[in-house]
Amino acid sequence: MAEAYDFRSIEAKWQKRWEDTQIFLAREDSGRTKYYVLEMLPYPSGDLHVGHAKNYTFGDVVARMMRMLGYEVMHPMGWDAFGLPAENAAIARGADPNQWTRTNIANMQRQVRLMGTGYDWSREITTCDPEYYRWNQWLFLRLYEQGLAYKREAPVNWCPHDRTVLANEQVIDGRCWRCETLVERRNLSQWFLKITAYAQRLLDDLEKLDGWPERTRAMQRNWIGRSEGAEFWFAVEGSQERISVFTTRLDTLFGATYVAIAPEHPAVAKIVTPEQREAVARFAKNLQSKSELERTSLLEKEGVPSGAYAIHPLSHERIPIWVTNYVLAEYGTGAVGGVPAHDQRDFEFAHKYNLPIVEVIVPPGQEPSPQVREAYIPDGVLINSGEFDGTTSAQARKAIARRLSELGVGEEKINYKIRDWLISRQRYWGTPIPVVYCERCGEVPVPDGQLPVRLPPNVPITGEGSPLARDEDFVKTTCPKCGGAARRETDTMDTFFESSWYYLRYLDPRNTTLPWDPAKARYWMPIDQYIGGAEHAVLHLLYSRFFYKFFADRRWVSGPDEPFTRLFHQGLVLHEGERMSKSRGNVVGIDESVHQHGVDAMRLFLMYVTPPEDTSDWTDTGATGRIRFVNRVWRACAPYVKQAAKVDPRKLPEPKNASESALLAAVHAAAKSAIDETVSRRFHYNTTIAKFDEYVNALTVLEQSDPNSLVAAYAVAALPLIMAPFAPHIADELWERLGHSQSVHLEKYFEPDARALTVDQITLVVQVNGKVRARLNVAPGTDEEQAYALAIQQSTVIAQLDGKEVRKRIFVPDKLLNLVV
RNA sequence: GGGGGUGUGGCGGAAUGGUAGACGCAGCCGCCUCAAAAGCGGCCGGGCAAAACCCGUGUGGGUUCAAGUCCCUCCACCCCCACCA
């Protein structure tokens, strides 16, 4: 093999070979311990770039390592194929969404194969296949039966550009997460999933997920947003209405000098006085015309008096009710007690409208302020609070809650920020919601036997209104209950529905009677290592946890009721320091990169440039370094292949000299690093690949001094085993040239031997008062006395000791000797 | 405002409390070559002519025989959430 390394033909050869021999199939009956590693399934947007490559390469290295370490590895791939871009392509250039999606999938399949990733393709799924989405519908019906899927009218987020509603999780800074259009509020009748029923469990179980990044757990905690407080009501003077409010600061209750209420609150219409009716209506209308963003980013708090008065539940004082722009209709009860002295927002509002400011909390041992200039937020001691004066905030919260409860006007309460998950979309390219509306029977779920409710082809997509609603052939149906005329639901499901359970379908992708066989879930679940972007922290990852808990409650899965034991967020890939984007024209595509550098070099570069969780920067010069490495491997191995073919890489040779033991140590250190980074789940393969460099460097050194070295031949024989998960193509090619008939990827991983890692000379550091003064080359195991005797002969040490007495010696075997004087 | 995180050469980064800067990129010098590319060898934190010595992991302190690493202070930057009552 004197020829130069031709990565193009060799990589293509092995990709075909792996596929033909199906070496990556996952089975349940191997008797091995299972390991399920999964990258979040991609949306088939058209082309893969090196950012995708980093993600899939990382998962593939982990999968190949675990397989060689003796696990039965599940590593599947699929396509998250429903969604807006297909439909937008249809609107923009008349493409058929199905055709558009299928074309993209075909191209991306080709590219994924081009990367040499070892997937079990027999389990591939595509979520827009009727055989997939029928199980979406089936699961929806099970949720419906349990009261966890329901329809109601509610103020929802409406994206005027995409002409659909959005889940709360899909509104980012008041804008649509896809097109960044300002989102509007609309009252619409929509389907929801009752994720709030699982709020507490979703929160509590975050504690168990110690294999997740802390920031992701923190984000979910914040999103669920539990707060402990109390709910109580104000009577409205001269009315039967009561205004309920939620507060976490019941200790400040006596400081409430007004009630603030959201304009959308249903009580507003009932309590507003005739004189104020017009002003309130105008205020509400003005506010409604504003987008969510304009509304929530308003700095100025404004309001109008309703004209009505509330009665304070304890002091029985009469306080005004104001309709304001700063109380959220969707959180808590939509109304709050205004406590200007102890809440900055209330302070600003009261200041503007000259409402009274009553101080009720002071720091312990302090007098009330002569003039309140800003809200005092911390806990303290109560004043101006009747019988509660002198108690601490913490005591007062309990005591006041008790009193309100005795009076029957309130109680302690836990509130969550999380809302139910809105899944209706007024779009075409999604799973039809399996419900019909019958004039006689009302809302009727489609029976299982009639699934799937198929998405009709050739529906014109103009972007105006729900496309399915215009397809009369689809809409007109008969009632499953009475057989009478009925109309189908024309909304489709949020695509996060299908991605909340797809990892279970991989386990049993061709099952025609159930979405998956619970026995298969018992073997494979939970997912041992999940890999994907941090942007899904509260969308996909929270929805999936919710679904999985529902499945666990139904006993469709067993074991822990969390689907993802360990989670890893890979970092972005930049290009020369900039974010890759089509508009910048700086996207580094897979085809281009593979053609230029080869797959192995690309994989090595992506794993080498940073630890996988960090942002990495694709630079052509950096990638060049890994091409050099691949070529170096080839050149360094070439002269030894003949000899290495006769050497057993599992049998440790005896080194004859220092270069040989250095190479031997480098070989074993490289394997040890690969194993350590994998089993520790740290995955810092950048350090492993650095050790590959040292491996090949040591081999090159030996090659020049001793072309017949047996240790060098051994290093060449072992190299494919050690590098296989990282550079799978060149590894298999070398393995074959060494005379092996079976793929190296089916071999057991190389086992590092501690004996090889011990070298005959170590550097022992001599410190004086903690500063390094000399380095001794000694045999490992040199004891303290020997080391000391050598150390005090060193001129640099003598100079530092300068006749002073050595008060203390610290000796760390094979590491250092510190002399304290 | 709340939460999470990060600060190490020109750059990416390495370092179970124990030799700071492994490995690579860029750069510089040399060998090879008619020449270039590739390859091979060497240098590469700062100060000094310099082995020695001094300084050096955002800042200031502390713990320790020993701190990039542990604790506290401050500074800077990044990410997420946010009139959430």
Side-chain angles (χ1 to χ4, degrees), chain A residues 781-803:
Chain A
T782 301
D783 70 23
E784 181 172 345
E785 290 310 318
Q786 291 170 318
Y788 181 69
L790 284 169
I792 57 174
Q793 289 169 27
Q794 303 294 310
S795 60
T796 49
V797 175
I798 293 165
Q800 291 298 322
L801 293 178
D802 191 26

Side-chain angles (χ1 to χ4, degrees), chain A residues 386-682:
Chain A
E387 62 186 292
F388 302 99
D389 280 0
T391 59
T392 66
S393 289
Q395 292 163 343
R397 285 193 280 268
K398 286 281 162 202
I400 294 175
R402 211 176 307 123
R403 173 57 40 85
L404 291 171
S405 171
E406 283 161 14
L407 295 170
V409 298
E411 59 188 358
E412 285 181 291
K413 172 122 197 257
I414 291 159
N415 215 355
Y416 299 90
K417 283 184 206 164
I418 191 170
R419 309 284 88 183
D420 277 341
W421 172 14
L422 169 60
I423 59 157
S424 298
R425 296 292 179 274
Q426 290 70 49
R427 302 305 312 234
Y428 167 71
W429 193 233
T431 304
I433 294 174
V435 171
V436 302
Y437 303 99
C438 167
E439 280 165 34
R440 233 171 311 169
C441 315
E443 178 182 294
V444 180
V446 174
D448 290 2
Q450 293 178 24
L451 299 184
V453 176
R454 283 177 186 271
L455 196 57
N458 306 320
V459 172
I461 297 161
T462 60
E464 201 55 60
S466 182
L468 288 180
R470 287 192 303 268
D471 185 339
E472 274 299 305
D473 290 342
F474 174 79
V475 173
K476 272 193 190 161
T477 186
T478 51
C479 173
K481 230 185 228 172
C482 70
R487 298 178 71 79
R488 286 195 188 278
E489 170 64 61
T490 57
D491 284 353
T492 54
M493 295 184 198
D494 182 1
T495 60
F496 279 99
F497 193 107
E498 46 263 25
S499 58
S500 295
W501 68 278
Y502 74 103
Y503 45 87
L504 286 156
R505 187 65 180 172
Y506 282 138
L507 309 182
D508 200 6
R510 311 290 166 244
N511 194 327
T512 52
T513 54
L514 283 173
W516 66 88
D517 176 353
K520 296 198 164 157
R522 192 175 311 127
Y523 178 71
W524 289 110
M525 291 302 290
I527 291 168
D528 297 280
Q529 187 64 57
Y530 199 32
I531 300 163
E535 69 275 15
H536 293 293
V538 287
L539 287 156
H540 166 60
L541 290 167
L542 191 60
Y543 296 148
S544 295
R545 293 182 60 222
F546 159 48
F547 267 41
Y548 201 76
K549 287 183 188 307
F550 172 69
F551 302 155
D553 290 350
R554 305 267 79 69
R555 302 189 182 279
W556 299 338
V557 297
S558 27
D561 60 356
E562 286 288 338
F564 314 125
T565 305
R566 303 192 63 91
L567 171 67
F568 197 98
H569 294 311
Q570 85 282 2
L572 288 178
V573 179
L574 306 179
H575 181 203
E576 306 283 354
E578 292 200 313
R579 230 189 155 98
M580 284 188 276
S581 71
K582 278 185 187 160
S583 54
R584 276 205 186 89
N586 64 345
V587 177
V588 183
I590 296 290
D591 293 298
E592 175 194 345
S593 166
V594 166
H595 184 75
Q596 247 183 55
H597 311 103
V599 179
D600 286 344
M602 179 182 79
R603 289 170 59 106
L604 287 165
F605 178 67
L606 289 167
M607 291 297 98
Y608 180 66
V609 65
T610 51
E613 67 270 29
D614 289 0
T615 299
S616 36
D617 193 10
W618 179 275
T619 60
D620 284 320
T621 51
T624 302
R626 291 302 99 188
I627 304 175
R628 280 204 265 253
F629 172 78
V630 171
N631 289 332
R632 238 162 105 74
V633 166
W634 189 254
R635 271 199 314 274
C637 291
Y640 292 104
V641 165
K642 216 169 177 180
Q643 204 179 348
K646 295 177 221 146
V647 172
D648 180 359
R650 313 273 186 193
K651 199 162 161 269
L652 195 62
E654 269 307 315
K656 295 196 305 279
N657 53 46
S659 305
E660 288 197 341
S661 34
L663 173 59
L664 207 53
V667 169
H668 286 252
K672 184 173 185 312
S673 170
I675 293 170
D676 288 350
E677 292 300 335
T678 304
V679 301
S680 70
R681 317 293 188 234
R682 196 175 79 131

Side-chain angles (χ1 to χ4, degrees), chain A residues 249 340-344 359 361-364 372 374-380:
Chain A
R249 290 301 300 273
H342 304 291
D343 182 289
Q344 192 55 35
E359 227 181 346
I361 307 285
V362 289
V372 182
E374 57 172 7
Y376 176 75
I377 312 296
D379 279 6

Side-chain angles (χ1 to χ4, degrees), chain A residues 354-374:
Chain A
N354 289 316
L355 293 161
I357 297 170
V358 177
E359 227 181 346
V360 294
I361 307 285
V362 289
Q366 277 191 32
E367 298 296 314
S369 330
Q371 203 195 342
V372 182
R373 287 178 197 283
E374 57 172 7

Side-chain angles (χ1 to χ4, degrees), chain A residues 23-28 34-42 55-60 62-64 67 72-80 109 112-113 115 117-126 132 501-510 524-531 564:
Chain A
I23 64 174
F24 302 118
L25 294 189
R27 1 184 141 263
E28 284 94 43
K34 68 93 184 179
Y35 189 81
Y36 189 175
V37 53
L38 185 64
E39 299 101 60
M40 291 178 186
L41 90 173
N55 195 202
Y56 303 137
T57 298
F58 174 58
D60 192 53
V62 173
R64 286 178 190 260
R67 192 175 293 112
E72 185 61 37
V73 171
M74 168 68 77
H75 189 214
M77 173 46 89
W79 310 98
D80 186 18
Q109 276 170 335
V112 169
R113 285 177 155 92
M115 287 191 284
T117 11
Y119 293 116
D120 179 348
W121 285 106
S122 74
R123 296 171 184 273
E124 181 180 11
I125 56 175
T126 303
Y132 184 87
W501 68 278
Y502 74 103
Y503 45 87
L504 286 156
R505 187 65 180 172
Y506 282 138
L507 309 182
D508 200 6
R510 311 290 166 244
W524 289 110
M525 291 302 290
I527 291 168
D528 297 280
Q529 187 64 57
Y530 199 32
I531 300 163
F564 314 125

Side-chain angles (χ1 to χ4, degrees), chain A residues 718-747:
Chain A
L719 187 139
L721 284 173
I722 293 170
M723 299 191 187
F726 302 85
H729 305 83
I730 192 171
D732 235 353
E733 179 68 20
L734 284 169
W735 192 245
E736 187 183 53
R737 289 182 187 229
L738 288 167
H740 303 281
S741 51
Q742 179 184 264
S743 168
V744 70
H745 302 289
L746 297 173
E747 294 291 329

